[in-house]
Amino acid sequence: MLIGLVRDSVMQCFCHTCRAPILPAVNRRSAPTKKPTKTRTKQPKASKKVKFITTEIRCQEKSKGGLCYEVILAEPAVNVTLPKLPVTPGKAVSAEEIEEKLKAAEERRLSLEAKKMADWSAKMAKIEEATRKKDEMDKIFKTHAKELLDTKMEQYEEKREQQISEIKEKLKMHAAEIEKTRHSLEHTKSEELKIQLEDKLRTAATLRDDKIKKILDRLKEHNTDKLNEVRATVDLLESQKSEEKTRIIENKLSTAEQNREKELQKKLETIRKHERRAEIVRQNKAALATQKNDDTSVTASSG
């Protein structure tokens, strides 16, 4: 029944005054595109009071595609008396009871503090015991680990020494084999080198003898005319060189003579200057001597 009322109220107009008939469902494809015209209804006046009907449902469109419903079950009651609860009278408490309660509270507080301290001491004892056990376990683990490491290091040292000794023996054997092969190779190489050197010396000696023979033949083929021409050219060159040397020497002597004359003239000029200065000095001395004599004669006459 309630569902039917909600459906009817949804299909009604929002003014709540008219009851529009429910339209049948129409297929959109077969239906025309024009919208059906709604029948306009008169709006109620504001002065009239709207009476609430029981089981009335009001519908209001809050937003596009959203609705708000209000279901009214009964009319609102205006004068309703609420039941009053009876007031319990207060209990009178004396000073002795308050003191007893305070003492009990103090005792409870002290007992709680003692309990807390006991719990705390028990926890601390447990923590100390745990730390002690942990330290003992750490010590045991460290000693065990140290022993294992020592044993492993000893085994490693033994293995390393054994490997080193094996490697040394192998190296000694390898060095002995290398020495043997080196001696054999040196012996064979020395013999081969000797043979090669002897062959090279023989070929070099033969080539040298051939060259000497060729040179001697060429020297023998030289004519006496060529030798004379060479001698003549040599004599000419020597004569030209001697003439050039004599000319150079004469030029040097002439320049030396000129330089010597210039030096003599310079020295004579300096001597002349010195004599002039000496003459001037003598004249000055004579003038001074005459002046002194005049002064002495004047002083004698005045005296």
Side-chain angles (χ1 to χ4, degrees):
M1 184 178 177
L2 186 61
I3 293 166
L5 290 169
V6 171
R7 186 182 63 190
D8 294 339
S9 64
V10 168
M11 299 305 294
Q12 285 176 2
C13 181
F14 291 108
C15 63
H16 303 290
T17 56
C18 65
R19 287 184 177 273
I22 298 167
L23 296 171
V26 180
N27 192 1
R28 290 184 180 179
R29 292 180 182 177
S30 61
T33 55
K34 290 183 179 180
K35 292 182 180 180
T37 56
K38 290 183 180 180
T39 56
R40 292 189 178 183
T41 57
K42 291 181 180 180
Q43 298 291 333
K45 292 181 181 179
S47 61
K48 290 182 180 180
K49 291 182 180 180
V50 179
K51 291 183 179 180
F52 293 99
I53 305 165
T54 56
T55 65
E56 184 183 355
I57 296 169
R58 292 182 181 182
C59 180
Q60 188 179 1
E61 189 176 3
K62 290 285 184 181
S63 62
K64 192 175 181 180
L67 297 173
C68 178
Y69 297 99
E70 291 182 3
V71 180
I72 298 165
L73 299 174
E75 291 184 0
V78 180
N79 296 319
V80 179
T81 57
L82 296 171
K84 293 182 180 180
L85 295 172
V87 180
T88 56
K91 189 178 180 182
V93 182
S94 63
E96 293 177 355
E97 290 178 355
I98 290 165
E99 286 179 358
E100 287 177 358
K101 285 180 180 180
L102 288 170
K103 285 179 181 178
E106 186 68 22
E107 288 175 357
R108 284 197 300 274
R109 188 176 64 78
L110 292 171
S111 64
L112 285 169
E113 286 180 356
K115 189 177 180 182
K116 284 180 182 178
M117 289 298 291
D119 293 337
W120 181 254
S121 61
K123 284 181 182 179
M124 290 299 291
K126 285 181 181 179
I127 290 164
E128 288 176 357
E129 186 69 21
T131 52
R132 187 177 60 76
K133 286 181 179 179
K134 186 181 176 183
D135 293 335
E136 289 177 356
M137 289 175 73
D138 288 336
K139 285 180 182 178
I140 292 162
F141 177 74
K142 284 178 182 178
T143 52
H144 185 63
K146 191 176 180 182
E147 289 174 357
L148 286 172
L149 281 171
D150 291 334
T151 53
K152 284 182 180 179
M153 288 297 290
E154 288 175 358
Q155 291 175 0
Y156 176 73
E157 287 290 332
E158 289 175 357
K159 286 181 181 178
R160 190 168 67 83
E161 288 176 357
Q162 188 177 359
Q163 287 176 358
I164 288 165
S165 62
E166 289 176 357
I167 290 163
K168 283 180 179 178
E169 288 177 358
K170 287 180 181 179
L171 287 170
K172 283 179 182 178
M173 292 171 69
H174 188 63
E177 290 177 357
I178 289 166
E179 192 68 23
K180 286 179 183 178
T181 52
R182 189 172 64 79
H183 281 300
S184 63
L185 288 169
E186 283 179 355
H187 185 66
T188 54
K189 282 182 179 179
S190 62
E191 289 179 354
E192 289 176 357
L193 286 169
K194 282 179 181 179
I195 293 163
Q196 288 177 2
L197 285 169
E198 287 176 356
D199 293 334
K200 285 181 180 179
L201 288 169
R202 286 171 188 169
T203 53
T206 53
L207 290 169
R208 190 181 67 233
D209 294 334
D210 293 334
K211 283 182 180 180
I212 289 165
K213 285 179 181 179
K214 286 178 181 179
I215 290 163
L216 290 170
D217 293 334
R218 286 177 184 175
L219 289 170
K220 286 177 182 178
E221 287 176 357
H222 277 293
N223 294 322
T224 56
D225 295 333
K226 288 182 180 180
L227 290 170
N228 292 324
E229 287 177 0
V230 169
R231 284 174 185 172
T233 53
V234 168
D235 292 333
L236 285 170
L237 289 169
E238 285 179 355
S239 63
Q240 287 176 0
K241 284 181 180 179
S242 62
E243 288 176 358
E244 187 71 26
K245 284 180 181 179
T246 52
R247 189 172 64 252
I248 290 164
I249 289 163
E250 287 176 356
N251 290 326
K252 285 181 179 180
L253 288 170
S254 62
T255 52
E257 188 68 26
Q258 290 175 2
N259 291 325
R260 189 169 63 79
E261 288 177 357
K262 287 178 182 179
E263 289 290 330
L264 287 170
Q265 287 177 1
K266 285 180 181 179
K267 286 179 180 180
L268 288 170
E269 188 69 28
T270 52
I271 289 163
R272 286 171 186 170
K273 286 180 181 179
H274 186 66
E275 286 178 354
R276 286 173 188 171
R277 286 178 184 174
E279 188 67 27
I280 291 163
V281 170
R282 286 194 206 99
Q283 289 176 4
N284 290 328
K285 283 182 179 180
L288 288 169
T290 53
Q291 191 176 359
K292 282 181 181 180
N293 291 325
D294 292 336
D295 291 334
T296 53
S297 63
V298 169
T299 52
S301 62
S302 63

